[in-house]
Amino acid sequence: LKSVLDDHPTGPGPSSFLLEFLSGAHETRAFRDSHPTYALQLLANADPIIAQSWSNLLHLSDDQLAATTLTLDAFDDALPDDTLSRANVSRAVVAGCRRQLLTDRRASLDALRDGFTLGGKLDLGLQLAQHRNADLALLLQGKAAISAQEMLDCFEWGEPPAECAAAV
């Protein structure tokens, strides 16, 4: 909204995963088997239906997971064709998120990084990696939503010019 108010519409802005990728923190922050929910949050920006479906798997029992007939390689071809279980479902979900967000879009992401870093001449990884995605998004695109009061504060509510007041 800020970009529209400033008369510079920019579209939806970069995804959270793109910010992680540009900062070089995607492997250490986004794709940790011990925290699949963060990878799913990033995936939800790109494909909310798959993210919700995979999120539901994290809460199933071994018997329920076996009943899905899903195997690890359904999430990523590099994984074996073992049946999903409570012991491996987090690993499968994170691998699937990595494939959806990174592997399948690697060429496009690398091209974006090249443009962002001036063809690799500028490395902002250390500077960007220390900030949360929400802070980077705020820096790049402003607030995504504003209150009615914040909207009203964007305007100066002085007295109308004399010629306008006379016309009324």
Side-chain angles (χ1 to χ4, degrees):
L1 285 176
K2 179 183 183 310
S3 63
V4 173
L5 290 175
D6 289 344
D7 199 26
H8 300 289
T10 58
S15 71
S16 296
F17 178 73
L18 178 60
L19 296 174
E20 291 282 7
F21 181 78
L22 291 175
S23 68
H26 58 285
E27 288 295 339
T28 56
R29 288 200 298 218
F31 301 132
R32 296 187 331 194
D33 291 349
S34 59
H35 295 309
T37 53
Y38 184 58
L40 285 166
Q41 287 172 2
L42 295 173
L43 180 61
N45 288 322
D47 194 331
I49 294 170
I50 290 178
Q52 183 59 53
S53 175
W54 290 354
S55 178
N56 293 338
L57 294 173
L58 296 174
H59 307 291
L60 299 180
S61 68
D62 276 328
D63 291 338
Q64 292 169 320
L65 287 168
T68 67
T69 67
L70 288 171
T71 58
L72 294 176
D73 63 342
F75 295 85
D76 188 345
D77 294 336
L79 296 176
D81 64 351
D82 298 343
T83 303
L84 278 185
S85 67
R86 294 286 312 145
N88 64 19
V89 69
S90 291
R91 182 173 133 221
V93 165
V94 170
C97 290
R98 178 184 289 111
R99 182 181 54 81
Q100 292 275 331
L101 292 168
L102 179 66
T103 307
D104 291 352
R105 303 185 306 164
R106 188 60 185 230
S108 298
L109 290 167
D110 285 340
L112 276 167
R113 183 184 327 180
D114 283 348
F116 191 78
T117 62
L118 303 175
K121 296 176 188 169
L122 180 64
D123 182 9
L124 297 176
L126 290 175
Q127 291 82 4
L128 295 176
Q130 63 186 328
H131 298 287
R132 296 177 315 124
N133 278 343
D135 296 334
L136 291 174
L138 184 62
L139 174 71
L140 292 173
Q141 69 192 58
K143 292 176 72 174
I146 61 173
S147 69
Q149 186 59 49
E150 289 172 316
M151 172 72 98
L152 291 172
D153 290 343
C154 291
F155 301 98
E156 293 183 26
W157 299 102
E159 292 297 319
E163 58 272 5
C164 292
V168 178

